[in-house]
Amino acid sequence: GRRLLDVGTGAGFPGMVLKILVPSLDVTLLDSLNKRLDWLVETCGALGLHGVRTVHARAEEKSHDPAFREQFDAVTSRAVAELRTLCELCLPYVKVGGVFLAMKSVDSDGELSAAGPAMEALGGRLEAASDYEIPGTEVRHRVVIIKKFAQTQKKFPRTFAKIKKNPL
């Protein structure tokens, strides 16, 4: 019964994989390109997956919709943006007590330290940063886990132009 939002889902990773691993998970896949989402709808049908919703929207705009704002137990994102930007795009979706899982490179130490003030301003706090190896490979990645401890102010996220020009 938990709700997960995958922001900038692309080909559905990690959202689709998590749905396959945890069938009870209610998954929403959000992307700005409808062509990707059409493919994911077809893929869900072919796999017989239920409880997956696709949403065609820009992350910074959809998070102001009350049906989406602070409604998710977990939000994931992979290969979308630098961590300060990613926090502003994703933390408004996470309900207080929930988590934001950012998939980053193992070389993201600089991003991680620079994102502290952004996390705090958006109601989040770093819980952990864990490196892992993809099974069967020597490829290493990092998941940054940010716990949501307070509501995000309504002024966030700002327009993407403002986020890009002046990151938190």
Side-chain angles (χ1 to χ4, degrees):
R2 300 250 182 217
R3 295 185 70 200
L4 172 105
L5 174 69
D6 188 12
V7 173
T9 194
F13 187 75
M16 290 280 287
V17 174
L18 291 169
K19 176 62 178 179
I20 291 166
L21 292 172
V22 185
S24 64
L25 198 59
D26 177 357
V27 174
T28 301
L29 307 171
L30 183 134
D31 204 280
S32 62
L33 290 178
N34 207 34
K35 183 178 179 179
R36 293 179 189 150
L37 297 172
D38 290 342
W39 181 81
L40 289 169
V41 168
E42 286 181 39
T43 303
C44 284
L47 295 174
L49 293 178
H50 303 283
V52 178
R53 175 172 53 154
T54 59
V55 176
H56 176 228
R58 293 191 54 86
E60 70 275 14
E61 295 168 0
K62 195 66 176 174
S63 66
H64 290 285
D65 180 341
F68 284 78
R69 191 169 187 90
E70 298 187 327
Q71 296 299 309
F72 295 90
D73 300 291
V75 173
T76 58
S77 190
R78 182 187 72 85
V80 171
E82 189 265 335
L83 192 56
R84 291 177 299 172
T85 300
L86 210 49
C87 285
E88 188 164 353
L89 294 174
C90 295
L91 278 170
Y93 290 105
V94 181
K95 62 171 66 170
V96 174
V99 293
F100 167 42
L101 307 164
M103 299 178 73
K104 301 301 288 178
S105 158
V106 292
D107 299 325
S108 61
D109 291 335
E111 272 186 65
L112 193 52
S113 58
M119 290 178 207
E120 191 75 24
L122 297 159
R125 199 173 282 138
L126 180 65
E127 187 164 286
S130 300
D131 295 350
Y132 61 93
E133 190 170 292
I134 296 175
T137 74
E138 293 182 15
V139 177
R140 296 190 57 74
H141 287 286
R142 175 175 291 162
V143 61
V144 176
I145 304 166
I146 301 167
K147 182 95 172 174
K148 181 89 173 259
F149 70 90
Q151 288 188 322
T152 302
Q153 296 175 51
K154 294 202 184 303
K155 66 181 178 179
F156 296 117
R158 301 165 293 160
T159 64
F160 194 73
K162 288 181 182 176
I163 293 170
K164 192 173 178 179
K165 185 176 180 179
N166 188 22
L168 294 176

